[in-house]
Amino acid sequence: MNVEEILARLIAFPSVVGTPNEAIVNWVRGYCQAAGAEVAIIPGPEGDRFNLFVTIGPREARGYILSGHLDVVPASEPEWSGAPFVLRRDGERLFGRGASDMKGFLASALAALPQLAAMNLRQPIHLAFSYDEEAGCRGVHHLIAALPNLCERPLGAVIGEPSRMQPVQAHKGKAAVRLEVIGRSGHSSRPDLGLNAVHAMASVVTHAVAYAQSLTDGPFDDNFVPPYSSLQVGLINGGQAVNIIPDRCSADLEIRAVPGVSPSSLLEPLKAQLFALRSSGFEVAWHELSAYPALAPVKGSELTAVLVELTGQKPLVAVSYGTEAGLYQQAGIDAIICGPGDISRAHRADEYIEIGELAACQTMIEDLGARLAA
């Protein structure tokens, strides 16, 4: 199968984040085993979602991980020109949900696998395909925890998020949380008998807005746009009717932190503000939805030098979006972002990737194999 045919098969699986992924995992496993690779399946605690780890070459040697995620965001946008889970070609563009983010990278790696298998690799190449990355990198935690039993400590991990094949050295960290306030319902004509959860949450949100503004004062990292950590409230839900005192209100918010700053620690002032409502009779809850650390640039990184040589492109210091790379780095594995496609095409209708981008990625992977061959 060529890379376009593989991409068509991958996109045909509607592996939307938060849903079972056994079908796509089984297809990839069968393809890799047919190419002569070793395959391990690492289940998540959900019971219906799985990570996949593939090895080509000697497991006892140190090699490189090519990392990607199997899940995609939903394709509910009405502007799609065709069926989002059917690959459609128009000239040099291939359209479909996940084409850029990031089944294009997966397809390139799988297309290169037979060529890698034909090489006499003295050091291995591993494919690490995770689940539920789009929900805050939930699946890859379990895969990384299993690595000591799957391979020798890797020399590095290439996270194939869309970067137009330019090596990227850093991104911000992120934490997302849900705040919940529980008050007491009643008729709106007697506010003195109830506890209005929306009003209480409004005080927390007001504090969050002011806190977000204070983050613009630094600390700064001029590699990013914006160069400071940021916070936003993205969703508020509460109340039943205008004449009923709302007894429940929730708010989802996220924070994105520059390297060297813990996203979770930045949220502590808001947590204190929320829990202070208990003194007024409210019940409160703080739910951590997702979190991943920043990817910090590494001076003199050998992995960066390898990717620059393989791609022929100068490295980009930082991007605004987040990836699984920070988790690999946190585990002591040098990590870098480099993949086909463009992040500006992701999470929107008529997502696409170009044939030339897939070919460039496949060539890069095969050239990495050649470096590792005897």
Side-chain angles (χ1 to χ4, degrees):
M1 298 178 70
N2 63 36
V3 68
E4 183 176 347
E5 292 169 336
I6 295 171
L7 181 59
R9 293 298 299 270
L10 294 177
I11 285 179
F13 293 101
S15 52
V16 173
V17 58
T19 64
N21 73 344
E22 187 173 9
I24 189 171
V25 167
N26 284 338
W27 186 86
V28 174
R29 172 170 56 185
Y31 174 92
C32 293
Q33 289 175 334
E38 294 183 52
V39 182
I41 304 299
I42 302 95
E46 299 83 0
D48 60 3
R49 269 155 276 177
F50 307 87
N51 299 292
L52 185 142
F53 191 80
V54 179
T55 298
I56 197 78
R59 287 183 57 186
E60 65 274 10
R62 297 182 65 192
Y64 292 94
I65 287 176
L66 304 179
S67 169
H69 58 86
L70 295 158
D71 60 304
V72 298
V73 295
S76 55
E77 304 93 343
E79 298 85 5
W80 279 92
S81 300
F85 294 107
V86 176
L87 189 69
R88 173 172 54 90
R89 182 168 182 171
D90 186 356
E92 292 299 302
R93 295 180 175 182
L94 299 171
F95 293 84
R97 172 56 82 222
S100 266
D101 187 15
M102 60 180 298
K103 290 181 175 179
F105 176 78
L106 307 186
S108 296
L110 294 174
L113 200 60
Q115 179 66 21
L116 297 176
M119 300 177 184
N120 184 21
L121 295 181
R122 53 186 171 80
Q123 294 171 269
I125 289 180
H126 310 284
L127 309 183
F129 294 169
S130 65
Y131 72 88
D132 283 5
E133 187 272 351
E134 297 289 4
C137 304
R138 290 180 181 171
V140 75
H141 292 273
H142 311 293
L143 192 157
I144 291 175
L147 284 180
N149 298 319
L150 297 171
C151 64
E152 292 297 318
R153 187 167 66 87
L155 296 169
V158 180
I159 286 71
E161 292 282 0
S163 69
R164 303 185 69 89
M165 292 305 296
Q166 185 174 13
V168 178
Q169 297 174 295
H171 64 66
K172 291 181 179 180
K174 175 184 170 180
V177 294
R178 174 168 297 151
L179 286 59
E180 188 175 7
V181 176
I182 302 171
R184 186 168 58 249
S185 187
H187 197 283
S188 61
S189 65
R190 289 298 307 272
D192 53 308
L193 299 179
L195 285 172
N196 191 309
V198 170
H199 288 184
M201 183 65 79
S203 67
V204 179
V205 170
T206 299
H207 181 80
V209 172
Y211 183 51
Q213 181 60 37
S214 72
L215 294 176
T216 64
D217 295 331
F220 298 103
D221 187 329
D222 291 332
N223 293 315
F224 294 92
V225 179
Y228 45 81
S229 301
S230 61
L231 179 149
Q232 80 146 8
V233 179
L235 181 67
I236 297 177
N237 187 20
Q240 302 175 62
V242 70
N243 60 347
I244 301 174
I245 298 171
D247 62 344
R248 288 180 177 268
C249 187
S250 66
D252 292 3
L253 58 88
E254 69 164 27
I255 195 154
R256 295 179 183 264
V258 295
V261 178
S262 164
S264 297
S265 67
L266 284 180
L267 289 172
E268 286 301 316
L270 292 183
K271 190 173 186 179
Q273 189 79 9
L274 175 71
F275 277 78
L277 295 175
R278 293 185 297 186
S279 63
S280 300
F282 293 94
E283 296 179 37
V284 300
W286 177 274
H287 306 282
E288 294 183 1
L289 302 178
S290 63
Y292 56 77
L295 173 66
V298 177
K299 291 184 178 180
S301 165
E302 182 178 340
L303 180 62
T304 299
V306 169
L307 266 293
V308 168
E309 181 179 335
L310 290 173
T311 64
Q313 294 201 55
K314 293 182 179 179
L316 180 65
V317 175
V319 291
S320 297
Y321 59 87
T323 77
E324 296 171 337
L327 290 163
Y328 280 98
Q329 187 179 69
Q330 187 178 68
I333 301 168
D334 196 7
I336 197 166
I337 303 163
C338 186
D342 192 313
I343 196 66
S344 67
R345 307 173 198 154
H347 298 197
R348 60 187 300 176
D350 286 345
E351 178 181 351
Y352 72 90
I353 198 164
E354 297 177 359
I355 288 287
E357 294 171 335
L358 295 175
C361 184
Q362 182 177 343
T363 297
M364 182 269 286
I365 294 169
E366 292 174 354
D367 287 348
L368 176 62
R371 290 174 62 99
L372 305 179

